[in-house]
Amino acid sequence: MQTNETIIGIDLGTTNSLAATVFDHGAEALRESGGGAIIPSVLTRQDGRWTVGEEARQLRTRAPERTVYSVKRLMAQDIESLREEILRLPYTVKQAQRGLVKVHIGAESFTPQELSAEILRAVKRRAEAALRQPIAKAVITVPAFFDDAQRQATRDAGRIAGLEVVRIINEPTAAAIAYGLDQKRKGIVAVYDLGGGTFDISILQLSGAVFKVLATHGDTHLGGDDFDALIAEELKRHVLAAHPEARLDGALASSLLRKTAELIKIDLSRSLETEYTLELPDQKLTFAGRFTADRVNELISPLVQQTLNSCHEALKAAGKRPEDIDDVVMVGGSSRVPLVRKRVQALFGRGPNIAINPDEVVAIGAGIQGHLLAGGRRDYVLLDVIPLSLGIETLGGTFSKLITANSTIPAEASEEFTTYVDNQTGIDINIYQGEREFVKDCRNLGRFRLKGVPPMPAGLPRVKVTFHVDTNGIVNVGAVEQRSGQEASIEVIPSHGLTNDEMERIMDEAVEHAIEDLNQRQLVEFRNMAEAVFRGIDKVWDDTEALLTPLEREEIRKQMDVVRQHAGQSDPVALKREMDRLGDLTRPVADVIISKAALTELRRFYEETR
Ligand code: ADP
Ligand code: MG
């Protein structure tokens, strides 16, 4: 018997749908092998069968009366409330029993639940192919403003698709869970969701691990499609200026204009300027042009402003000011538009959470919820920052931090270390997480050994240690000895199972022990330095006879004793002072020490290559 049945998360969207689940390394959207995760929420009826997804989306212009999209808008709605909506839709929607509606295609008719079920079936199929196992249970998301009837209709759609809907959760809540905000214990979260055809802003209050919806606002007819329409209008003006004879109002031309507009928009989300070509094969016309991000921003600015007005409304309804918001989460493909992010950031006065793919974040949160409901643990977390510093153990048990707490991920840092013992051929890299100065007070994450380092005097090996934290929070630690090229690496997952209390305790302790830790650390470091200096002096001692007077050599000997004495005590400042004094006395022979060390290496090199 399987102990942990997989409960996938499904984002059943107006424009796009997809599923996600939790793997050992974290939550991820389920994708076609080598392909995308997103399935357009579009279906076409052909020869008594449904075609769902990308293929249906392509058919939308060729078979408009047989192609259904935006089904989500019809869920549990009566004909009255859909009057205006129906005027926009190219397919036929008619009244059915109990005030509800059905979509008519030829002689057949379908309830919105059945249509949604077809989309869910496609999502389920893709999930089963990705996971290579049958899936029977799911968590499905709905907008926060969905009423009981709409939620029930969504459950029914799941059942028709052969899925047990274990739970229905709010889309903004799912997004917040994806970012691990439910583990914060308390706070106010604003979730800004700009999709293809809808905009929602939700203000959530977190207490315990439960999100309460304080307020929602939005616009059911504002989204990326409207951006496309404005860009398409501009494209039309471009084309007509050069080809006044072009006919651009037909179905094919309109759809090509829209498609090109969307490509332009998406391209301008990552560049400031783009080139496009528009082909109208039926009119034997090819048109090439340029579009700038500035122009797109001008066009869409009023629409973006509308979303901000909604944000203000929602804040007002929740009785909150922008500065009361602890976290802002960006959701929906259109939240990738740089102007949108910029304006949202300005409104809330803080950088929004954007690390997780905005068109996958809702499904990912639902996948995490499903995983928890299936009895899964949350020992990984999708955080956009590194909660505790990461580093390695250095001589004397000190903790050298390479990546400090609160760095955003992905992150990378490297530092060079060396050996303190002659002829060390294996170097241990011991990885820790924490805020204290000594590894004994931190958490060990793993260790590995860099082997095969050629024997060299202490201080000569150059070991470059690199930490790389990927977007899933997985840490790869690599070490390479630069002179020999020997390398080794390991992958570790930071311990994210920390509760808030634990996190707070770790932080508090770090502050509490800061001064005492620092003293202790300096003492260890200075002792290590003193050892290294002594070794260097010993090595060249015989050579110094030619360079120094007996009195100078006598003074060095005496000062070495003073340093040794202070190394045995616990005052790092005094120890450092005496070491500096020793440094002054040995300065004339410093060059000898260095070239001697280099000679040793050269000798080794010749011996090896002989
Ligand atoms: P929904 O929640 O309505 O199902 P999505 O969140 O999937 O929709 O958003 C779809 C919208 O996101 C489309 O209008 C699409 O053009 C837009 N979009 C996707 N990627 C980008 C991008 N890189 N830049 C701008 N818009 C994008
Ligand atoms: Mg959505």
Side-chain angles (χ1 to χ4, degrees):
M1 198 186 80
Q2 234 175 334
T3 44
N4 257 347
E5 196 177 0
T6 304
I7 302 177
I8 58 167
I10 299 180
D11 173 4
L12 180 60
T14 311
T15 318
N16 295 309
S17 300
L18 69 156
T21 195
V22 172
F23 295 92
D24 287 343
H25 59 272
E28 236 181 59
L30 295 170
R31 45 196 87 243
E32 228 171 6
S33 63
I38 283 171
I39 297 178
S41 306
V42 185
L43 45 164
T44 300
R45 191 71 173 166
Q46 266 177 322
D47 311 321
R49 287 184 54 251
W50 287 112
T51 302
V52 183
E54 191 50 45
E55 209 183 322
R57 196 172 88 107
Q58 303 290 345
L59 286 167
R60 198 172 133 173
T61 42
R62 266 188 284 148
E65 68 300 326
R66 281 187 287 120
T67 303
V68 186
Y69 61 92
S70 288
V71 183
K72 196 171 174 178
R73 297 178 187 279
L74 311 180
M75 295 286 267
Q77 296 291 302
D78 58 32
I79 195 88
E80 277 313 312
S81 56
L82 288 173
R83 281 269 172 250
E84 267 186 56
E85 191 70 59
I86 288 168
L87 296 176
R88 299 167 184 259
L89 300 171
Y91 53 87
T92 311
V93 182
K94 285 189 186 164
Q95 173 146 22
Q97 327 91 290
R98 285 173 283 120
L100 297 177
V101 297
K102 278 190 166 186
V103 172
H104 289 249
I105 296 173
E108 300 175 291
S109 65
F110 307 92
T111 60
Q113 288 90 323
E114 289 172 87
L115 297 169
S116 289
E118 287 305 326
I119 299 167
L120 288 173
R121 274 204 187 99
V123 174
K124 180 173 179 267
R125 271 198 302 273
R126 181 167 295 181
E128 287 173 337
L131 294 170
R132 295 166 203 270
Q133 73 179 70
I135 297 296
K137 297 184 178 182
V139 169
I140 303 183
T141 60
V142 295
F145 61 78
F146 257 28
D147 62 21
D148 283 343
Q150 289 168 301
R151 284 164 201 261
Q152 188 53 46
T154 305
R155 273 186 187 281
D156 293 343
R159 223 185 50 222
I160 298 167
L163 284 168
E164 182 190 331
V165 182
V166 181
R167 192 168 291 181
I168 296 276
I169 66 171
N170 290 328
E171 287 161 15
T173 299
I177 290 172
Y179 278 104
L181 300 181
D182 55 320
Q183 298 181 308
K184 270 195 168 180
R185 209 161 43 165
K186 58 178 197 260
I188 312 279
V189 184
V191 182
Y192 179 103
D193 181 348
L194 190 56
T198 55
F199 169 65
D200 298 312
I201 172 77
S202 311
I203 311 291
L204 309 178
Q205 178 163 40
L206 176 65
S207 53
V210 182
F211 287 97
K212 186 175 153 211
V213 180
L214 293 183
T216 65
H217 203 275
D219 188 329
T220 50
H221 288 285
L222 175 58
D225 297 348
D226 300 289
F227 295 175
D228 300 347
L230 290 171
I231 297 168
E233 283 298 315
E234 175 91 346
L235 271 181
K236 221 161 128 177
R237 288 192 285 272
H238 284 192
V239 179
L240 287 176
H243 304 276
E245 77 288 357
R247 285 162 285 116
L248 302 176
D249 295 317
L252 180 66
S254 299
S255 100
L256 288 170
L257 281 167
R258 284 293 190 98
K259 215 172 268 173
T260 311
E262 188 180 11
L263 291 176
I264 290 171
K265 173 186 75 176
I266 290 174
D267 208 39
L268 289 177
S269 288
R270 41 173 191 260
S271 58
L272 293 174
E273 210 176 289
T274 187
E275 281 168 16
Y276 65 87
T277 37
L278 182 68
E279 263 183 86
L280 298 170
D282 57 331
Q283 304 176 39
K284 296 201 171 43
L285 194 126
T286 303
F287 183 80
R290 301 173 77 75
F291 228 102
T292 65
D294 283 344
R295 183 61 189 140
V296 167
N297 289 347
E298 256 168 46
L299 292 169
I300 67 171
S301 176
L303 296 182
V304 178
Q305 187 53 47
Q306 278 183 43
T307 68
L308 299 182
N309 297 346
S310 278
C311 292
H312 284 296
E313 290 296 330
L315 283 168
K316 205 162 78 187
K320 300 287 172 198
R321 291 159 304 165
E323 55 270 30
D324 299 330
I325 304 299
D326 300 302
D327 285 277
V328 181
V329 173
M330 296 299 258
V331 180
S334 303
S335 71
R336 284 212 189 81
V337 173
L339 179 74
V340 171
R341 292 219 297 257
K342 208 172 97 190
R343 294 277 196 84
V344 171
Q345 172 154 3
L347 191 158
F348 289 101
R350 63 173 58 245
N353 286 289
I354 51 165
I356 304 175
N357 201 338
D359 31 44
E360 294 179 356
V361 64
V362 167
I364 285 173
I368 293 172
Q369 184 67 57
H371 175 72
L372 295 175
L373 288 170
R377 285 176 2 130
R378 192 167 182 160
D379 33 18
Y380 63 90
V381 95
L382 279 161
L383 277 184
D384 57 339
V385 296
I386 291 153
L388 292 170
S389 301
L390 298 166
I392 63 166
E393 175 177 6
T394 42
L395 198 67
T398 55
F399 180 38
S400 285
K401 293 174 188 166
L402 274 92
I403 295 183
T404 52
N406 291 321
S407 305
T408 52
I409 54 176
E412 187 167 297
S414 359
E415 215 173 298
E416 220 171 81
F417 297 90
T418 187
T419 52
Y420 291 92
V421 181
D422 286 342
N423 305 323
Q424 211 178 318
T425 55
I427 297 164
D428 282 320
I429 309 287
N430 224 328
I431 305 149
Y432 285 87
Q433 172 185 40
E435 298 310 317
R436 298 287 297 277
E437 297 287 346
F438 287 86
V439 295
K440 67 177 171 45
D441 302 311
C442 299
R443 187 190 288 245
N444 184 257
L445 294 181
R447 64 186 301 154
F448 65 97
R449 196 174 170 84
L450 178 61
K451 284 183 279 205
V453 176
M456 282 183 248
L460 268 185
R462 292 170 45 208
V463 182
K464 185 176 175 186
V465 175
T466 304
F467 272 61
H468 176 86
V469 187
D470 73 10
T471 46
N472 292 315
I474 295 166
V475 185
N476 186 285
V477 185
V480 51
E481 200 293 303
Q482 313 253 63
R483 294 176 194 273
S484 58
Q486 284 295 324
E487 56 179 295
S489 69
I490 192 183
E491 210 165 76
V492 295
I493 298 179
S495 174
H496 284 311
L498 302 176
T499 62
N500 265 320
D501 287 345
E502 276 179 291
M503 281 288 293
E504 264 160 38
R505 182 180 52 73
I506 291 170
M507 293 300 184
D508 286 347
E509 276 179 8
V511 173
E512 215 174 283
H513 297 287
I515 294 181
E516 142 197 354
D517 272 358
L518 190 68
N519 265 336
Q520 191 61 31
R521 188 195 167 105
Q522 282 188 331
L523 202 57
V524 170
E525 268 174 15
F526 296 157
R527 279 175 188 156
N528 293 338
M529 268 164 69
E531 288 295 332
V533 169
F534 288 178
R535 276 198 305 271
I537 293 174
D538 282 346
K539 264 185 210 159
V540 297
W541 189 246
D542 294 338
D543 305 315
T544 57
E545 242 177 323
L547 296 159
L548 302 172
T549 65
L551 187 67
E552 285 171 321
R553 298 181 88 214
E554 163 79 327
E555 262 185 321
I556 290 177
R557 275 292 166 211
K558 268 200 205 139
Q559 187 58 25
M560 282 170 79
D561 284 338
V562 176
V563 169
R564 217 167 267 132
Q565 195 192 330
H566 277 90
Q569 292 163 359
S570 55
D571 182 356
V573 180
L575 173 57
K576 182 68 170 52
R577 192 185 57 227
E578 297 308 326
M579 280 173 62
D580 288 344
R581 217 165 265 164
L582 178 63
D584 288 340
L585 294 173
T586 54
R587 187 141 304 127
V589 293
D591 288 346
V592 181
I593 297 177
I594 291 164
S595 51
K596 180 99 180 193
L599 261 182
T600 317
E601 197 201 3
L602 266 181
R603 204 172 300 134
R604 180 187 56 78
F605 177 76
Y606 284 121
E607 275 163 13
E608 254 181 22
T609 50
R610 215 170 22 209

